[in-house]
Amino acid sequence: MNFDIDKVKFDERGLVPAIIQDAQTREVLTLAYMNRESLQRTLETNETWLWSRSRNELWHKGETSGNTQEVIDVKIDCDGDALVVRVKPAGPACHTGARSCFADDETTFSLSQTLDQLYGLILYRQRERPANSYTTYLFDQGLDKILKKVGEEATETVVAAKNESQTALVEEASDLIYHLLVLLVARNISLDQIRDELVARHQTGEKK
């Protein structure tokens, strides 16, 4: 990442405030602090590392929760004493479970935000393989197991669609989408690739 850390003016405690912002929605997720080491690790790993003033220690966002933040870029203000870190979050930013530390009770997620967060969480499960996780189980079992589950969930979705209950169809469709996302992660296909394909088809349709 092209960023000159020497331009940052850390305060007398060796800290600089960092506004963490969703790169897609521009929503402010949290206000945190970085010291030189956490900023350096953020730049090296492309994930947010912060400094906890209450615990007086370095911490990696999402290390225990799985709610990591992929760093898209880091900007410095004109005075050099504040940062904006644009991220792609893989889950809630706030310790309360809210998407943003500035969110109120009426905050809702769009479908694209929900899919992005779920995809990010599945990606984390694939990488870290935490114990007692169904997603970890699927990845441990391998591609054939994942394909089998996608097929099963597709069949169950079709069966639910033949019945009158919308609730059952919503539940089965949600299961199918989750397992399809697991398959995409397993095959290293991003949601951006799916989006680009759909956009290309839409543009082609417009020209006909």
Side-chain angles (χ1 to χ4, degrees), residues 21-28 86:
Q21 181 186 46
D22 188 305
Q24 180 179 12
T25 67
R26 300 295 190 267
E27 179 182 13
V28 174
R86 296 198 310 134

Side-chain angles (χ1 to χ4, degrees), residues 47-178:
E47 290 191 352
T48 49
W49 285 77
L50 306 167
W51 180 260
S52 172
R53 294 178 298 166
S54 60
R55 300 192 305 270
N56 198 37
E57 66 180 15
L58 195 71
W59 64 287
H60 177 203
K61 171 61 180 170
E63 183 175 9
T64 57
S65 67
N67 301 326
T68 54
Q69 297 170 339
E70 178 187 350
V71 176
I72 305 303
D73 59 31
V74 179
K75 301 293 185 184
I76 189 171
D77 77 341
C78 57
D79 294 323
D81 58 2
L83 304 175
V84 172
V85 183
R86 296 198 310 134
V87 303
K88 184 175 181 180
C94 186
H95 71 280
T96 64
R99 172 177 169 78
S100 166
C101 292
F102 300 95
D104 55 35
D105 293 338
E106 297 180 356
T107 300
T108 56
F109 298 161
S110 68
L111 176 60
S112 63
Q113 290 172 332
T114 301
L115 291 176
D116 279 342
Q117 290 184 19
L118 181 55
Y119 184 95
L121 182 58
I122 292 170
L123 195 63
Y124 171 81
R125 296 282 191 261
Q126 181 198 40
R127 183 175 69 246
E128 300 298 331
R129 306 294 175 97
N132 302 317
S133 163
Y134 174 66
T135 308
T136 295
Y137 164 76
L138 290 176
F139 284 124
D140 286 345
Q141 292 296 307
L143 183 61
D144 285 346
K145 178 65 175 181
I146 295 171
L147 292 172
K148 181 180 179 182
K149 288 301 298 181
V150 171
E152 290 175 355
E153 297 300 340
T155 300
E156 291 175 7
T157 300
V158 170
V159 172
K162 296 285 289 183
N163 299 321
E164 294 184 1
S165 172
Q166 288 190 340
T167 300
L169 178 56
V170 169
E171 291 174 349
E172 296 300 341
S174 298
D175 285 342
L176 175 58
I177 290 172
Y178 159 76

Side-chain angles (χ1 to χ4, degrees), residues 36-49:
R36 190 178 187 89
E37 182 181 1
S38 63
L39 177 54
Q40 187 65 52
R41 291 197 186 190
T42 296
L43 298 172
E44 291 173 352
T45 65
N46 286 336
E47 290 191 352
T48 49
W49 285 77

Side-chain angles (χ1 to χ4, degrees), residues 189-206:
I189 295 175
S190 70
L191 288 180
D192 288 343
Q193 288 175 270
I194 301 298
R195 178 205 61 203
D196 292 345
E197 175 63 21
L198 291 174
V199 169
R201 292 184 183 189
H202 176 68
Q203 291 175 341
T204 301
E206 287 181 339

